[in-house]
Amino acid sequence: MARDILTLVGLVVVGVATGALYFQGLWWTLKGLPSKGAWTSRFIGSFALRAALVVTVFYLFMGNDWRRVFALTLGFLVARFLIIRKVRQVPRDNRKEKTP
């Protein structure tokens, strides 16, 4: 029983790390889009890499058990919440270019 709980807590941590990489990558992609050309290929390429990361990690760690998938997803959503909170704290002037 204790081993199962430790495994699930570890999977939540893996989910947080995966989500942090995914959402931080999304933030970097969106932040860099206005200043560079060929934005569609950059956006699609970034999405493909981020999605491949998430699918691969979930596949490797889920072990065909719904509790493991739930723990990974919970961690992923926690990371989403934390990244959104971090981004909202960034002053608006640093988010995008000033418009007159």
Side-chain angles (χ1 to χ4, degrees):
M1 182 68 156
R3 184 176 178 205
D4 291 339
I5 292 173
L6 286 176
T7 300
L8 293 177
V9 169
L11 289 171
V12 169
V13 171
V14 170
V16 168
T18 304
L21 288 172
Y22 181 88
F23 291 110
Q24 191 64 47
L26 176 61
W27 176 243
W28 288 331
T29 300
L30 293 176
K31 215 169 133 179
L33 283 182
S35 63
K36 299 175 183 169
W39 65 272
T40 53
S41 61
R42 289 179 195 273
F43 188 75
I44 292 171
S46 171
F47 172 74
L49 286 173
R50 289 181 287 114
L53 170 76
V54 172
V55 168
T56 301
V57 170
F58 272 53
Y59 179 76
L60 290 175
F61 285 95
M62 72 180 182
N64 206 17
D65 184 6
W66 70 268
R67 292 174 294 181
R68 289 173 165 245
V69 175
F70 181 79
L72 288 164
T73 305
L74 178 65
F76 190 84
L77 293 175
V78 166
R80 177 185 178 271
F81 171 77
L82 293 174
I83 295 290
I84 288 173
R85 188 172 174 188
K86 177 184 170 187
V87 167
R88 285 187 179 161
Q89 291 176 353
V90 174
R92 187 166 289 282
D93 294 339
N94 292 341
R95 286 193 216 170
K96 59 183 178 180
E97 295 179 18
K98 294 181 181 178
T99 54

